[in-house]
Amino acid sequence: MQEVTETKKKSFLKGLTGQIIIAMVLGAALGIILHNSISPEAAQSFSNKIKMLATIFIRLVQMIISPLVFTTLVVGIAKLGDIKTVGRIGGKALGWFFTASFISLLIGLFYVNILEPGVGLKLDHVDMAAASEVTAKTKTLSVENFVEHIVPKSIFEAMATNEILQIVVFSIFFGLAGASLGSTVKPVINALDKTSHIVLKMVNYVMNFAPIGVFGAIAGVFAIRDAEELVITYFKFFGSFLVGIGTLWVVLVAVGYLFLKGRMTELLRRITGPLAIAFGTTSSEAVFPKLTEELEDFGVKDKIVAFMLPLGYSFNLDGSMMYMTFASIFIAQFYGVHLDLGTQMVMLLVLMLTSKGIAGVPRASLVVVAATCGMFDIPVEGIALILPIDHFCDMFRSATNVLGNALATSVVGQWEDDKDPEIASENL
């Protein structure tokens, strides 16, 4: 028995998840030591350089995303076969996404009102200049911008900028057109299918760099942030946020067990690696290829994964949604701006719409929060209040987004298995 336990420990340490956790601990330790032993200028310089490790890893992943989404989705749509099937799965997907988003927003709304983390808070030396980068992007948050993020004017431009939703739109049209032409285009579909397998093989190579990227990201943050000071200053804000995000996890996992029964345990085990990567790099995008692979290994048909996951990355960001209501009302509380329940519900509906389709915008959650504050006469510069702690909140947001998308894809995949006996028999 002891030998079995030791074997499991060794395999865990050799596995990707174990290596990432070790990288987090070492990165945090190095960052804290350097923060306490060198000058702020030197720490900033070190942070800029060490974060390049994370940048390299994320860019390697981004290199894969466009060809992976295009090839897998086109092949998936072609296998689905007709507009009716695509519409059925798409309807289920959007129904799930909007329900999950609404629940996430409500959880954020509930806890920020109950715990009131912004009431009576005193923050000195708030860097308003740091907020200018975020608030400058709020001018792009409009109906026109929303449409631009959905409809591509060039598939090559969409791929170059990793606009996932635009790639999805083009791929759906391409896949449906291919399916309508029948056997004459089978060589093209087969070629794209083989290409997707090559790209997924590349995923295995890229994931070897994940612990290095996580190490760089964590070390870079702790080198320039006084962890103890942040904990004391933002204890109520961060603690309240963790209560909210923890509740959201309980809801998501409970829903998972409701629909997937005992298989939910296996799903959680399979996505542990992607969750750790998203947590360490604060990028749910960084795990898109690996999550695709894990969900297919879990038993979700490749055509369902190819269709659901890209949509989820644009429409189903549960952790980010919860944070948006929480942060917006936190800023209002800090400045003493009273928002009655009716106004808060209107804010919730506005966030439901304005947050969709902007997954490609850097620090999208903060951009949406800043824009929402402007709409409801809350000082937009208040975004500077949460910037110092935002990275740590983003770690939990990103991991929650991955869990939400894995769950949505798995549940819709099971619904389709139950509906189509042929698919169900393929999974046996």
Side-chain angles (χ1 to χ4, degrees), residues 188-205:
V188 176
I189 302 300
N190 289 336
L192 289 174
D193 192 17
K194 295 294 186 291
T195 303
S196 70
H197 283 89
I198 293 173
V199 176
L200 284 170
K201 187 63 178 177
M202 291 173 64
V203 171
N204 295 326
Y205 300 147

Side-chain angles (χ1 to χ4, degrees), residues 70-379:
F70 175 70
T71 55
T72 57
L73 187 50
V74 168
V75 172
I77 295 292
K79 288 180 179 178
L80 288 175
D82 55 53
I83 295 177
K84 182 180 177 181
T85 307
V86 173
R88 184 184 71 239
I89 298 173
K92 290 177 180 177
L94 293 178
W96 180 284
F97 295 161
F98 277 94
T99 302
S101 295
F102 187 72
I103 292 172
S104 301
L105 288 165
L106 276 179
I107 289 174
L109 192 72
F110 174 78
Y111 280 110
V112 77
N113 279 290
I114 294 297
L115 301 176
E116 298 185 329
V119 176
L121 184 66
K122 304 294 182 184
L123 292 177
D124 300 321
H125 311 298
V126 176
D127 186 6
M128 293 298 181
S132 60
E133 179 187 350
V134 175
T135 55
K137 295 173 185 171
T138 59
K139 63 182 180 181
T140 65
L141 195 63
S142 61
V143 175
E144 292 82 1
N145 179 253
F146 176 70
V147 173
E148 288 173 2
H149 271 279
I150 293 178
V151 183
K153 62 181 179 182
S154 166
I155 182 57
F156 299 106
E157 180 185 50
M159 285 186 164
T161 55
N162 271 336
E163 291 281 1
I164 294 179
L165 192 53
Q166 293 184 8
I167 299 170
V168 168
V169 170
F170 179 85
S171 301
I172 289 173
F173 278 100
F174 194 98
L176 287 173
S180 68
L181 292 173
S183 59
T184 57
V185 295
K186 272 191 176 180
V188 176
I189 302 300
N190 289 336
L192 289 174
D193 192 17
K194 295 294 186 291
T195 303
S196 70
H197 283 89
I198 293 173
V199 176
L200 284 170
K201 187 63 178 177
M202 291 173 64
V203 171
N204 295 326
Y205 300 147
V206 171
M207 284 302 123
N208 291 327
F209 293 91
I212 299 172
V214 169
F215 173 81
I218 297 293
V221 171
F222 278 96
I224 58 175
R225 298 286 188 200
D226 189 321
E228 185 178 349
E229 182 181 334
L230 282 176
V231 168
I232 294 171
T233 304
Y234 287 94
F235 176 78
K236 192 174 181 182
F237 172 82
F238 193 55
S240 301
F241 167 75
L242 289 182
V243 171
I245 210 77
T247 301
L248 181 55
W249 268 69
V250 170
V251 171
L252 289 172
V253 172
V255 169
Y257 276 105
L258 179 66
F259 285 102
L260 300 175
K261 305 296 191 294
R263 296 187 71 223
M264 184 62 190
T265 303
E266 183 191 349
L267 177 64
L268 290 172
R269 181 182 62 79
R270 284 193 173 277
I271 65 172
T272 300
L275 286 172
I277 296 170
F279 184 83
T281 61
T282 67
S283 173
S284 52
E285 190 180 59
V287 302
F288 182 96
K290 182 65 174 175
L291 190 58
T292 298
E293 191 175 46
E294 291 293 350
L295 289 173
E296 289 181 1
D297 290 344
F298 176 65
V300 185
K301 294 300 295 180
D302 54 359
K303 57 187 177 183
I304 303 295
V305 176
F307 187 77
M308 285 288 299
L309 213 51
L311 281 179
Y313 266 67
S314 293
F315 289 105
N316 191 44
L317 303 175
D318 297 334
S320 298
M321 298 298 286
M322 179 264 158
Y323 183 75
M324 287 173 195
T325 43
F326 188 89
S328 300
I329 297 174
F330 165 79
I331 295 170
Q333 290 175 351
F334 180 86
Y335 284 104
V337 178
H338 176 69
L339 301 172
D340 57 43
L341 184 59
T343 304
Q344 291 188 29
M345 293 306 295
V346 172
M347 177 186 286
L348 185 147
L349 294 175
V350 168
L351 284 167
M352 278 281 289
L353 297 175
T354 57
S355 61
K356 302 305 180 187
I358 62 161
V361 178
R363 306 187 86 164
S365 297
L366 291 179
V367 174
V368 174
V369 168
T372 304
C373 287
M375 293 178 195
F376 290 88
D377 297 323
I378 303 168

Side-chain angles (χ1 to χ4, degrees), residues 23-42:
M24 284 186 198
V25 174
L26 293 177
L30 177 62
I32 291 170
I33 291 170
L34 290 177
H35 178 80
N36 294 323
S37 58
I38 60 178
S39 67
E41 294 77 15

